[in-house]
Amino acid sequence: KGARTPVFSAGPGGSLRVDDSAYSASFDANGFAYTPAGASHPVALSLASIGRGALGQAVEPSAWSSHRGGAERPVAPGVTERVTTGASALEWDLVLHSAPSGTGDFRAVADIAGVDGSPTEVHTATGPVWQLAMAGGGTVRLDRIVVHDATGATLYRALPRVEHGRVVLDVPGSVLARATYPLTIDPTVSSPTTVGGGFNPAVAFDGTNYLVVWEEGS
């Protein structure tokens, strides 16, 4: 997930855009859109509601601003939505600056557009992810929720729910109760990367590192 320093361009109405060799991303009042290289249509995520227990509320987002290798905006009192650009992925964060009001679990719901069909669970070297077919071809992956607090401790990991055109991020109330704030809820949006283009591939693993080799024609 390594962060880097992107070059943003500003558009109308406080919108932002960043272009990279692996993808492009745009940020506007609706949310953000991610287009992997070679894709004809983006996948767009628009935060719709947040809240704890029965206190769900619609978000009231402000304009995006570029900040520390990404873009961020306030979406509710004490809550910031932040997207950090990586080498081939977007790290999507919700930052809770203090414990949310109410009791029970915290839930954030975002509308997702630009995908077709149901997600498929794929197991990778770092754990399970959701893989979704993109409208117009290609695939996009949505990684696990990783929740960490101000001490740097990872308090919770789980796949989000993807259903009925929405992504649902749930954090148990027990996690909120033991956290040191601010608390960051952190899934990642990416596209699978193909390594190599040859034949006769082979993989070696020493318990820590992988080595991938293949043959290519001259």
Side-chain angles (χ1 to χ4, degrees):
K1 293 185 179 179
R4 62 185 182 82
T5 303
V7 178
F8 283 90
S9 57
S15 63
L16 294 172
R17 181 178 178 88
V18 62
D19 291 288
D20 182 85
S21 59
Y23 64 88
S24 63
S26 59
F27 307 81
D28 61 22
N30 294 320
F32 69 94
Y34 169 82
T35 309
S40 59
H41 295 83
V43 170
L45 281 163
S46 178
L47 190 63
S49 65
I50 58 174
R52 187 174 184 182
L55 297 179
Q57 65 182 77
V59 299
E60 299 179 359
S62 302
W64 293 94
S65 60
S66 56
H67 182 66
R68 294 182 183 177
E72 65 176 32
R73 61 178 181 171
V75 292
V79 183
T80 298
E81 182 178 21
R82 179 179 299 153
V83 180
T84 304
T85 59
S88 60
L90 296 181
E91 188 175 302
W92 174 37
D93 297 345
L94 290 179
V95 181
L96 310 184
H97 297 282
S98 59
S101 301
T103 59
D105 299 345
F106 177 85
R107 174 169 294 175
V109 179
D111 296 318
I112 185 170
V115 298
D116 287 329
S118 300
T120 301
E121 185 174 335
V122 175
H123 292 271
T124 71
T126 58
V129 301
W130 288 123
Q131 184 160 292
L132 301 101
M134 298 178 63
T139 57
V140 68
R141 288 180 175 177
L142 185 63
D143 206 341
R144 290 175 297 172
I145 305 165
V146 180
V147 179
H148 48 92
D149 70 1
T151 69
T154 298
L155 305 182
Y156 182 70
R157 294 177 187 266
L159 278 176
R161 288 188 287 123
V162 183
E163 54 189 20
H164 310 301
R166 291 195 154 184
V167 175
V168 182
L169 313 178
D170 286 321
V171 179
S174 58
V175 173
L176 304 176
R178 68 176 189 270
T180 301
Y181 289 83
L183 184 75
T184 302
I185 304 167
D186 170 19
T188 300
V189 182
S190 65
S191 180
T193 300
T194 301
V195 178
F199 55 95
N200 289 338
V203 179
F205 180 56
D206 66 3
T208 303
N209 303 297
Y210 286 92
L211 173 66
V212 182
V213 296
W214 62 92
E215 296 182 36
E216 294 186 356
S218 56

